[in-house]
Amino acid sequence: MIKVGIVGGTGYTGSELLRLIAQHPGAQVVAITSRNEDGLEVAKMFPALRGRLNLKFSDPAKTSLADCDVVFFATPHGVAMAQAPALLAAGVRVIDLAADFRIKDAAVFEKWYGMAHSAQDLLGEAVYGLPEVNRAAIRTARLVGMPGCYPTAMQLGFAPLLAQGHALVDESHLIADCKSGVSGAGRKAELGLLLAEASDNFKAYGVAGHRHLPETTQGLGAISGRSVGLNFVPHLVPMIRGILGTLYARILPEAMDVDFQTLYERHYHDEPFVDVMPAGSTPETRSVRASNMLRIAVHRPGAGDTLVVLVVEDNLVKGAAGQAVQCMNLMFGLAETSGLEQIAASP
Ligand SMILES: NC(=O)c1ccc[n+]([C@@H]2O[C@H](COP(=O)([O-])OP(=O)(O)OC[C@H]3O[C@@H](n4cnc5c(N)ncnc54)[C@H](OP(=O)(O)O)[C@@H]3O)[C@@H](O)[C@H]2O)c1
């Protein structure tokens, strides 16, 4: 059994890690932290875990994580970078769900996240936790920086177009119009997240520049081997879970004869958690709710020169905790799908 520690166990991604690992045949949560809920039984806060997890939250300051095999940080940015060096030195592997180890250039991180990076010497070693792109490196990693929720959808949606060794679309002008449910903002009291503010309403945010942009352009550039231009506009929709990305790319004249449906099907043929749906499909967020599956549909309206790629994922599962468990499985030589084969709950 892999001994798992979770820092930040009361938040949305932390509780999702609990749900998934409680059902995992090869891993067990042995430590879970919360500064606010020190001493509270986990099942008192999350009754769905009654009988499945006999553990109390404990303050991180008095929780020994060095006995764990792996520690997940489901915390705000800045927490993992402070604790990862000591854990790695103690032989513990670290998976961070925040942005501390996603961006390779510390200056770019500091500009977008407004804080100094205190573990810059680990940025070279950290592996970006997107298994469909980085599987081999994740298998041997000690430290994994998990992608953000939107970046997972955007990178997996554009990847087949960019991974062909030569350009098929105008890579300087990709467009991602993405919508997320409110759990993407975390489990906190904030005016814009109140029921009367977020429900029956639909709005864009971060139009001038969102933190997920530099991470996504870094990842898309790594996939294509060329620099990539991306316009990304996120939106908040009145639902709890889920992301729908509508991605646009202009097809180059020399690629007008490409069968993009077949290209996507071949690219993801062996991927357990990417489903390329039949031509003409319009994937819905409820078809992935609470599951680690990401679904894609490829459209070419009017057989013209614009490719439209629809992507849905559950932001808390494939966009966060599920993908983190997928990485843990790879890092510990388990079946990649272990503990992650739940079918989406719909309606
Ligand atoms: N929500 C998503 O869809 C999503 C998707 C992908 C990635 N992420 C990223 O994953 C991370 C967690 O997101 P979330 O939505 O789960 O956040 P959240 O719901 O706000 O939960 C944050 C958790 O971290 C703990 N925490 C806060 N400050 C801490 C500190 N200084 N030291 C130790 N623990 C601390 C909190 O508990 P206490 O305050 O009681 O300690 C809480 O359990 C974030 O970096 C987020 O950007 C989120």
Side-chain angles (χ1 to χ4, degrees):
M1 276 284 177
I2 300 167
K3 288 182 282 172
V4 172
I6 299 173
V7 182
T10 55
Y12 286 148
T13 61
S15 59
E16 201 62 359
L17 282 169
L18 283 172
R19 180 178 74 86
L20 294 171
I21 296 172
Q23 300 174 74
H24 196 295
Q28 185 183 11
V29 179
V30 296
I32 179 147
T33 83
S34 163
R35 297 162 310 162
N36 293 317
E37 305 298 342
D38 184 30
L40 182 77
E41 280 175 34
V42 172
K44 281 222 164 108
M45 175 168 282
F46 301 120
L49 292 171
R50 276 168 58 78
R52 305 296 292 265
L53 188 68
N54 185 17
L55 205 60
K56 290 180 177 169
F57 293 107
S58 61
D59 190 289
K62 52 185 192 191
T63 307
S64 168
L65 296 169
D67 295 335
C68 297
D69 298 310
V70 59
V71 170
F72 292 88
F73 283 88
T75 45
H77 318 302
V79 179
M81 68 169 83
Q83 295 180 40
L87 287 170
L88 293 172
V92 180
R93 280 180 257 189
V94 172
I95 300 177
D96 179 29
L97 277 71
D100 299 15
F101 297 105
R102 293 176 191 164
I103 294 173
K104 290 292 169 198
D105 183 336
V108 173
F109 173 87
E110 290 176 354
K111 174 183 161 210
W112 285 88
Y113 287 88
M115 65 171 72
H117 202 297
S118 63
Q120 296 187 22
D121 51 326
L122 289 173
L123 289 175
E125 175 186 347
V127 173
Y128 191 58
L130 195 57
E132 292 76 7
V133 174
N134 262 350
R135 184 167 281 116
I138 294 166
R139 282 190 209 282
T140 56
R142 293 194 307 158
L143 172 61
V144 171
M146 295 307 303
C149 45
Y150 286 124
T152 296
M154 290 189 277
Q155 288 172 84
L156 295 182
F158 281 127
L161 300 175
L162 304 180
Q164 303 304 320
H166 57 280
L168 298 176
V169 297
D170 179 357
E171 296 177 353
S172 66
H173 197 67
L174 303 173
I175 296 174
D177 175 5
C178 298
K179 297 98 186 165
S180 172
V182 292
S183 64
R187 188 168 181 243
K188 55 178 176 270
E190 221 174 66
L191 186 64
L193 304 177
L194 296 176
L195 181 72
E197 305 288 326
S199 69
D200 194 20
N201 191 27
F202 180 26
K203 65 170 187 179
Y205 62 100
V207 184
H210 185 279
R211 286 169 166 181
H212 286 170
L213 181 66
E215 171 193 342
T216 307
T217 52
Q218 171 186 281
L220 294 176
I223 293 166
S224 77
R226 299 171 288 273
S227 78
V228 165
L230 173 69
N231 290 287
F232 161 48
V233 180
H235 300 74
L236 186 68
V237 288
M239 60 185 185
I240 296 170
R241 285 173 183 250
I243 282 180
L244 167 65
T246 307
L247 314 182
Y248 300 86
R250 176 70 58 87
I251 302 167
L252 294 177
E254 56 271 32
M256 289 296 279
D257 292 336
V258 171
D259 177 346
F260 288 98
Q261 176 73 24
T262 302
L263 181 99
Y264 272 70
E265 286 175 2
R266 286 199 182 134
H267 188 86
Y268 286 123
H269 185 262
D270 296 323
E271 289 298 340
F273 296 117
V274 181
D275 173 29
V276 178
M277 298 179 72
S281 301
T282 48
E284 303 178 39
T285 55
R286 66 176 176 173
S287 73
V288 294
R289 185 185 295 135
S291 97
N292 199 47
M293 190 63 78
L294 174 144
R295 298 190 202 281
I296 292 181
V298 183
H299 291 255
R300 193 168 167 180
D305 67 356
T306 303
L307 199 70
V308 179
V309 180
L310 305 175
V311 186
V312 293
E313 67 173 21
D314 185 321
N315 55 296
L316 297 177
V317 189
K318 185 59 176 163
Q323 185 148 256
V325 171
Q326 194 180 344
C327 287
M328 177 191 78
N329 289 340
L330 289 166
M331 292 162 82
F332 287 87
L334 303 177
E336 188 169 340
T337 54
S338 197
L340 291 173
E341 294 185 288
Q342 297 87 353
I343 293 170
S346 171

